[in-house]
Amino acid sequence: MSLRHALLGLLAHGPASGYDLTRAFDGSIGRYAWHAGHSRIYPELAKMTEAGQVVVEETGPRGRKTYALTDDGRLELRRWMLHWPEQTTVRDETVLRMFLVQSLEPEDARRLLEGIAAHCADRIAELRPLMDAEDAEHSPGAQVPFGRLAGEYGLRQYEAVHGWALWSLARLGATVPG
């Protein structure tokens, strides 16, 4: 994934300023998917403008630019989205730690796995009510709100990792937290 594709995806929902896009990365996108600050966002928007993927739709009185997606930008986003998973080098620190859990002393492995289980349980407790509330606000068949699908993916991912951590603790003979 690249910052460019994240920006294209956000702009597919409507024009936005660099400030608006930075705020999106300060929220759930940055917390759960991809972190980027204004020092990376603004130069990337300039490159995307030069490449014809976005245009400056409006410039405000203090130089605030509002960017809009072009047809070329929409095509690039579509190309990237539909070519999943791309052949890239995998670097997932969490999965690497899972491979190496058994290299720890048993007490340290237990502590790590309990920490993973607790972290996931906390995120589940945080996300489940948000997802339920969002579902209650929108009738079946209505357009799914932006971020809802990603929220459910995140929730299910936390549930899977939580289950894995508890399973691992049991396999290692540790007392599984209630």
Side-chain angles (χ1 to χ4, degrees):
M1 179 174 153
S2 73
L3 174 58
R4 178 169 298 204
H5 295 106
L7 292 168
L8 289 171
L10 289 170
L11 290 170
H13 292 276
S17 68
Y19 176 77
D20 296 330
L21 294 166
T22 299
R23 288 190 56 208
F25 282 94
D26 287 341
S28 57
I29 290 174
R31 184 173 181 191
Y32 296 110
W34 191 266
H35 176 74
H38 71 279
S39 64
R40 292 189 50 226
I41 291 171
Y42 285 94
E44 190 62 32
L45 287 168
K47 292 175 191 173
M48 293 164 66
T49 302
E50 191 174 299
Q53 294 174 333
V54 299
V55 293
V56 175
E57 185 177 79
E58 180 182 342
T59 302
R62 293 184 300 182
R64 180 177 174 154
K65 296 177 181 177
T66 300
Y67 296 87
L69 196 62
T70 65
D71 289 342
D72 285 349
R74 193 169 299 281
L75 282 171
E76 174 53 21
L77 176 62
R78 182 178 186 277
R79 182 207 63 78
W80 181 76
M81 289 292 296
L82 295 178
H83 288 90
W84 182 86
E86 288 193 0
Q87 298 298 318
T88 59
T89 302
V90 175
R91 289 186 176 166
D92 189 326
E93 191 173 319
T94 300
V95 173
L96 179 59
R97 286 173 192 259
M98 291 174 183
F99 267 103
L100 301 176
V101 157
Q102 291 173 274
S103 66
L104 293 171
E105 294 296 323
E107 179 61 23
D108 288 337
R110 183 193 60 73
R111 190 174 320 134
L112 172 64
L113 291 166
E114 287 175 350
I116 290 170
H119 171 77
C120 290
D122 289 346
R123 297 294 80 79
I124 292 165
E126 175 186 321
L127 285 172
R128 173 52 60 206
L130 294 173
M131 298 299 101
D132 290 346
E134 206 164 89
D135 288 345
E137 291 177 15
H138 296 88
S139 59
Q143 184 172 353
V144 178
F146 180 76
R148 177 61 181 92
L149 298 178
E152 187 68 26
Y153 176 83
L155 176 63
R156 290 176 187 221
Q157 196 170 37
Y158 282 124
E159 289 171 342
V161 174
H162 182 257
W164 170 84
L166 296 178
W167 176 86
S168 297
L169 282 165
R171 294 288 288 194
L172 295 176
T175 303
V176 177

